[in-house]
Amino acid sequence: MRWGKVEVTGGFLLLMAWINYCDTQQLLPAAFCAAVLHEVGHWVAIRMVKGRIALLRLSAIGAQLQLEASLSYGQEILCALAGPILNLTAAFWAVSSNREVFGGINLALGVFNLLPISALDGGRILNCAAALVLGPEVSDYICKTVDFVFSAVVGVAGVVLLFSGGSVTLVMIAVWIWKRMVMYRRGTKIRFGG
C-alpha cells in the first residue's frame, strides 16, 4: 500500500500483527515510539543538510528512507548518526525520569543501530568514514569483511544459544542482519533506518 511518499508492505503489517499478538508485556507501544523517534532523527538531519526524501518504506525488515539524491560523505555520517543519537538521548531522559522500559528500548535501538553492519547506521558511518580516509574501493572491502564477520558471529552465537536451551531471538536477528546485508549489497536503495 502506498500513500504519497509512504509505502507499507504486507510483511510489515503481518509482523506488527504477530508482535502485537505476542506482546504480553505491552512493549509494542514503547518500541513503536522509539522507532518513530529514530526515524525522526534521520528526517531532521536530512532536512538540515537540504536532502530530499523520495520514499519512506515500512517493511518486515524495518524502515528505510530513500533519498532523491546522494549526500556527501560528511552529510551521510551526520544523517546516519542522528537516529541513534536521538534514541540515546531519549534513553537518558527516560531513565532519569523513571521510565526505565522506554529508556531500555531506546538504548537497545540506538546501540544496535550503531553496529558496523552496512545495512545499519553504524555500517553507513564506517563506510563513509573509511571512504573519506582510504577511498571508496578500500572502504567497500572493509565493509564487506566487517559485514561477513558480524553476521557470522551473531549467527553462530544465536545457534549456540538456541541449542543450549535459549531463545530463538538472536537467530532471528542474525537472519534479519543477513537479509538487510544482502539487500544492501544488491543495490537496494536503503538509505537510513533500522
Side-chain angles (χ1 to χ4, degrees):
M1 295 180 286
R2 188 165 177 166
W3 301 280
K5 293 184 176 186
V6 177
E7 180 181 326
V8 178
T9 67
F12 175 79
L13 296 174
L14 285 173
L15 178 65
M16 289 297 103
W18 178 68
I19 290 172
N20 186 50
Y21 176 75
C22 296
D23 186 22
T24 58
Q25 296 177 318
Q26 302 300 311
L27 298 177
L28 184 60
F32 184 76
C33 288
V36 168
L37 270 177
H38 184 89
E39 297 307 322
V40 165
H42 290 311
W43 179 79
V44 167
I46 290 167
R47 297 291 297 185
M48 284 175 50
V49 299
K50 307 288 191 244
R52 295 177 50 98
I53 296 170
L55 179 69
L56 167 62
R57 185 170 194 267
L58 303 173
S59 70
I61 59 169
Q64 300 96 34
L65 290 171
Q66 296 178 8
L67 303 182
E68 290 180 1
S70 297
L71 301 175
S72 71
Y73 291 134
Q75 290 172 326
E76 281 200 39
I77 290 171
L78 174 69
C79 292
L81 275 171
I85 286 175
L86 191 53
N87 285 129
L88 296 174
T89 302
F92 177 76
W93 168 82
V95 170
S96 66
S97 302
N98 293 322
R99 292 174 175 86
E100 289 83 10
V101 172
F102 187 62
I105 290 171
N106 272 285
L107 179 64
L109 184 60
V111 170
F112 178 75
N113 270 282
L114 287 173
L115 290 175
I117 299 167
S118 62
L120 299 174
D121 298 325
R124 179 151 309 278
I125 294 164
L126 173 65
N127 186 26
C128 291
L132 272 172
V133 175
L134 305 169
E137 294 81 21
V138 175
S139 172
D140 192 49
Y141 176 76
I142 290 169
C143 290
K144 283 181 183 177
T145 304
V146 170
D147 280 352
F148 177 77
V149 169
F150 260 86
S151 62
V153 166
V154 171
V156 168
V159 170
V160 168
L161 181 65
L162 180 63
F163 284 112
S164 59
S167 170
V168 71
T169 304
L170 202 53
V171 173
M172 291 172 60
I173 290 171
V175 169
W176 180 85
I177 289 170
W178 186 261
K179 176 72 175 165
R180 293 282 302 236
M181 187 176 67
V182 168
M183 287 178 64
Y184 182 80
R185 291 291 167 204
R186 285 185 182 161
T188 302
K189 293 184 178 181
I190 298 172
R191 286 315 231 180
F192 300 98

